[in-house]
Amino acid sequence: MATHPDILRARLEDRADLLEATRLRYRALEKLLRAFFWKDRVRANLELLREVALAQPEVDATLEAVSRRAEAEGWPSGSAPMALLTEVLRLREAVAWAVDRRLIAKKKPELLGEALLQLEEEVLDAGPLLGRRLWAQAVEMLPRNLPELRAVCTAAEVFERVFKRPAPTSGLPFDAAEADELRRALPLADKALETLWSRLDRFDATGRVRAFLAKRARLAPVHPPRSGPELLLHAAFWHDLARSRVKALLESRLAPVEPREEEWPELLGWLAARESSAEARLAASEVLGEGRAGLLEVAAELASLSHARPVGPWNEESAWVRLWTAAQRGRTETGPDMERLRESLRLFIRLRGQGQTPARLFSPEREPLARLPPGSVGDAAEDLPGLVQKAREAASQPRTGRMSG
């Protein structure tokens, strides 16, 4: 059954564009693989090789589907769509033959996409023929279409947007939506950068390329990144800056408890929620146990009540209740963080009697606070809830001696 060429091309729909692009890539790649100094040619065009490899599953599925349709509908052999399909199939076989010929490994992958990625590894393992400058080697080892490079650049966009602007004098430098972006971007960047640095180690036994880039990663980017190494350096700089800012922020708001790196994503979202509601609770999770979450809540409450006078509506009684409730939640925890919290409460109890505590929550210009419900304090007066109760009682006593703050 004869069919007009325009109708046949219309039946290809968006597959025609894919086949056209594939034809051009196959031609270029086959030319590289047939060159005399083919390894140097391939090293200089690894992005092309990866484009073909990554697109190959979709290309194979498209070729199979279009071939079945052409056979079922009897497309004329002289039509443009059939000519395109025939040439792409021919070029695919030519590329597959060339790749099979160039691969050193005895056991070769059956799928063309996997064979191309294995060829990339062999070419990089072989190293440059006559030696190359470090930057040129870095460009070869880090093609821009590496999935990990794209992932870390996506994360770096978040870091740059949040931390490039001037930091506020009070409050967090990000809102709840941005905290959620940071929560997802930090582990994404950590994993992607680890893979990229490992890739450099894998293909540069001397370690000179990694050392060269690691040194430059400490410098602030001065122009938009274009090559693979520039993208890595740009992302690494903003990742390091974001980590240092987040670390300092968490330490200042959770002292004396020291937040662990795996806790950072969940803590960022919780601290952002506390900005709008002091009653926001830190949910327990696989990373944060119930007791650990309680310790962090106690630390956040103590830190916020020790820095400066509250701004806006504030209820002292509610603050004490939140502190005691969090202490009950974290009372079973042990370790250095618990000891530091207990020592902070003991220090307040001692200094309160000398009138040396900051004029914050513990201002003398107010009515004495009510005691916590009878029997609510733990049996041990030195456990966390017991120390909170003692601090509350100390705050209710009139000040004596010199007062600072």
Side-chain angles (χ1 to χ4, degrees):
M1 179 182 66
T3 309
H4 193 276
D6 292 339
I7 298 177
L8 294 180
R9 188 172 182 84
R11 289 181 182 177
L12 288 177
E13 299 172 343
D14 57 339
R15 296 174 178 177
D17 293 335
L18 174 63
L19 294 178
E20 288 282 4
T22 301
R23 175 170 60 177
L24 296 176
R25 291 171 181 161
Y26 278 164
R27 280 180 177 176
L29 185 56
E30 184 192 17
K31 186 176 181 180
L32 295 178
L33 293 172
R34 289 181 178 274
F36 184 75
F37 293 107
W38 69 272
K39 287 185 179 179
D40 280 356
R41 298 285 299 277
V42 170
R43 285 176 68 92
N45 293 274
L46 284 179
E47 287 185 17
L48 170 63
L49 184 146
R50 291 192 65 86
E51 282 181 8
V52 176
L54 296 176
Q56 199 56 46
E58 183 182 4
V59 170
D60 287 341
T62 298
L63 288 174
E64 183 179 355
V66 174
S67 296
R68 286 200 309 266
R69 186 167 188 176
E71 183 179 0
E73 297 180 357
W75 291 6
S77 58
S79 64
M82 275 300 295
L84 173 61
L85 175 62
T86 302
E87 184 176 5
V88 172
L89 288 170
R90 181 190 66 78
L91 287 170
R92 186 195 183 287
E93 291 303 315
V95 169
W97 179 85
V99 171
D100 184 75
R101 179 185 173 198
R102 297 303 188 188
L103 280 174
I104 300 173
K106 294 182 179 179
K107 186 176 182 181
K108 302 173 183 180
E110 296 181 1
L111 299 179
L112 178 57
E114 295 178 2
L116 286 167
L117 293 179
Q118 183 169 328
L119 182 64
E120 177 195 41
E121 291 191 7
E122 290 187 359
V123 168
L124 289 175
D125 278 337
L129 181 61
L130 301 176
R132 298 283 293 279
R133 292 185 177 181
L134 294 177
W135 185 259
Q137 293 183 49
V139 170
E140 293 172 349
M141 295 179 194
L142 296 171
R144 290 173 298 179
N145 52 3
L146 283 172
E148 296 83 6
L149 200 53
R150 292 174 177 173
V152 77
C153 287
T154 300
E157 290 179 5
V158 177
F159 302 147
E160 183 174 6
R161 171 163 41 85
V162 173
F163 295 109
K164 190 174 184 178
R165 63 194 180 211
T169 54
S170 61
L172 296 174
F174 46 79
D175 57 26
E178 290 172 332
D180 185 61
E181 288 184 283
L182 288 172
R183 180 184 62 79
R184 290 180 281 111
L186 280 169
L188 175 66
D190 289 343
K191 184 176 180 180
L193 281 172
E194 181 182 0
T195 302
L196 291 170
W197 291 121
S198 297
R199 178 182 174 87
L200 293 176
D201 294 337
R202 166 74 173 80
F203 297 119
D204 176 37
T206 68
R208 295 174 60 208
V209 175
R210 174 170 182 161
F212 171 72
L213 292 179
K215 184 176 180 180
R216 297 192 59 172
R218 295 192 290 267
L219 304 176
V222 295
H223 57 77
R226 293 182 177 85
S227 65
E230 287 177 329
L231 291 169
L232 172 64
L233 294 176
H234 184 273
F237 172 83
W238 285 107
H239 172 254
D240 290 345
L241 179 67
R243 281 179 56 85
S244 64
R245 295 280 179 85
V246 168
K247 185 175 186 291
L249 182 148
L250 292 177
E251 288 179 347
S252 67
R253 289 176 175 258
L254 296 171
V257 173
E258 298 179 357
R260 303 162 186 161
E261 286 193 22
E262 62 268 22
E263 298 169 346
W264 289 8
E266 297 187 43
L267 294 176
L268 287 172
W270 171 58
L271 290 178
R274 275 178 58 89
E275 290 289 291
S276 56
S277 173
E279 304 296 332
R281 303 295 304 277
L282 177 58
S285 65
E286 294 182 3
V287 176
L288 284 167
E290 183 70 17
R292 178 70 179 174
L295 281 192
L296 290 163
E297 286 186 338
V298 172
E301 204 64 49
L302 285 176
S304 65
L305 298 175
S306 302
H307 292 165
R309 292 185 181 276
V311 177
W314 179 72
N315 187 299
E316 183 175 348
E317 178 69 22
S318 298
W320 276 115
V321 171
R322 286 196 303 271
L323 187 58
W324 183 82
T325 302
Q328 284 283 71
R329 189 182 184 192
R331 65 188 302 172
T332 59
E333 284 293 293
T334 58
D337 283 331
M338 169 63 90
E339 291 306 313
R340 283 190 288 267
L341 270 181
R342 291 170 63 186
E343 186 56 36
S344 294
L345 287 166
R346 292 190 193 104
L347 181 62
F348 165 72
I349 294 167
R350 290 197 300 269
L351 294 181
R352 173 62 194 183
Q354 302 173 21
Q356 296 180 1
T357 52
R360 174 69 161 90
L361 167 64
F362 317 112
S363 172
E365 290 82 17
R366 47 111 174 102
E367 295 295 326
L369 295 171
R371 289 181 59 84
L372 291 172
S376 57
V377 180
D379 296 333
E382 283 293 299
D383 70 358
L384 201 56
L387 287 171
V388 170
Q389 175 64 50
K390 285 187 175 182
R392 183 187 179 105
E393 292 173 352
S396 300
Q397 301 300 320
R399 283 177 177 265
T400 59
R402 179 175 59 85
M403 180 174 68
S404 62

